[in-house]
Amino acid sequence: MDIISVKNDENWNNWKWQIKNRILTIQELSKIIDLDDAEKEALKSNLLLPLAITPYYASLLDKKDTKQPLRKTVIPRVEENICSAGENKDPLDEDRYSPVPGIIHRYPDRVLFLVTNFCSTFCRYCTRSRIISKEEIYKNHWVSAIKYIKSNSSIRDVLISGGDPLTLSDTKLDWLLGELRNIPHIEFIRIGTKVPVVLPMRITDNLIRVLKRYHPLWITIHFTHPEEITPETSKACNALADAGIPLGSQTVLLKDVNDDVEILKNLFHKLLTIRVRPYYLYQCDPILGSSHFRTPIATGLNIISKLRGFTTGYAVPNYVIDAPGGGGKVLLLPKSILGKKDGYFMFKNYKGEVYRYPDF
Ligand SMILES: *Cc1c(COP(=O)(O)O)cnc(C)c1O
């Protein structure tokens, strides 16, 4: 019997069981899906990022179709072992912006706090694959990180990420959020997670009770493809939204996974129905072995130009590059400004028609 055939058992909805029974080896994976030669070769090689998939997410994978987008996001391919020009294990230079372990202080008024390097499911294009599941990093670093935030009154916003923060126990999250909420200059706390997508049963009533105590709390969820929006994920997002937590999504633009207007439009529309506002669409970071995932920037600009105006403004995320070398996120927009003529500001609308505004 394989691990996804127990879908109707009571254990299935226990998030700790899901974590304990993650698919970590080629043997376990080949019991549930038919691997092609390239996937097998990749799985037998010495991967920079190991394999890890929750049974729940594995149950969304197509047994036969190796071209299925969801398969590509979590099953290694041989191309991962090819490093190309411009790639780097820490492309955003996060380590250089880290004053104490786990804190990345790039912008003046906010910090990224990497609270754990554990994640339930490993995305093959993970920006932080360099730290994911590496035992030695981030042990007992919370106290010094919190002390850093306390002693810097310019920090008003803490973004808790990892790894995946929602894989921590309720008790630990309760303590952590309590510590941060007690700092007078912290106005805003947010959590970055993929849990509602890869481990939706983690969104328990008790977790909701804990999170609700620390408002204003926002959550940004990593969504990749419309096939991820299942009844389980919808239920998890609705429970979070009902707890008054504003939800956003972050999506990485990935070749042959979601680099298509119809796929992304469908994803963004579905997200609005479960009260998740598309926040960022990321150009894929140039981590080692990512060339098979990266699209030309023109692809992203074209997608945005086909969304803006053609659909609900809420369904159009900000398309950004996180600047390699640590420059921060930079917004990329299709060109709409044409310049100035006789005091009039000239610009194009979504259909490409030229309009002018008296700008004297
Ligand atoms: C993305 C990011 C943030 C948050 O950026 P926003 O644009 O405010 O969402 C903060 N710090 C770091 C290091 C980041 O990478």
Side-chain angles (χ1 to χ4, degrees), residues 11 21 38 42 75 110 121 124 147 156 158 171 182 199 241 277 282 310 337 344 348:
N11 278 336
N21 287 281
I75 299 179
R110 57 206 189 280
T121 296
R124 305 318 302 171
K147 204 169 137 205
R156 42 163 286 286
V158 178
T171 316
N182 268 336
L199 189 64
R277 156 76 153 112
Y282 286 105
F310 290 98
I337 300 175
Y344 280 89
K348 282 192 298 189

Side-chain angles (χ1 to χ4, degrees), residues 7-8 38 51 75 88 100 109 124 130 135 149 177 183 190 209 286 310 317 320 334:
K7 236 174 169 173
N8 296 322
L51 175 79
I75 299 179
N88 190 310
V100 294
D109 72 337
R124 305 318 302 171
R130 71 183 188 286
E135 293 275 322
I149 297 169
L177 291 167
I183 303 173
R190 42 183 167 160
R209 267 195 295 277
F310 290 98
V320 292

Side-chain angles (χ1 to χ4, degrees), residues 6 13 17 31 70 100 106 125 132 154 162 177 203 239 261 344:
V6 298
N13 289 318
W17 179 91
K31 278 188 203 157
L70 295 197
V100 294
R106 187 181 331 278
Y125 47 88
I132 296 304
S154 56
L177 291 167
I203 311 302
V261 185
Y344 280 89

Side-chain angles (χ1 to χ4, degrees), residues 92 94 97 104-107 109-112 128 157 159 190 250 279-280 282 322 328-329:
L92 310 181
E94 293 191 326
Y97 286 86
I104 297 155
H105 197 174
R106 187 181 331 278
Y107 300 107
D109 72 337
R110 57 206 189 280
V111 290
L112 178 61
R128 304 216 176 82
D157 167 7
L159 166 49
R190 42 183 167 160
Q250 323 198 69
Y279 179 43
Y280 279 136
Y282 286 105
D322 217 331
K329 295 176 184 72

Side-chain angles (χ1 to χ4, degrees), residues 37 45 65 97 102 129-130 148 156 163 242 253 312 318:
D37 290 342
S45 69
D65 181 10
Y97 286 86
S129 53
R130 71 183 188 286
Y148 178 83
R156 42 163 286 286
D242 283 346
L253 184 61
T312 314
N318 292 314

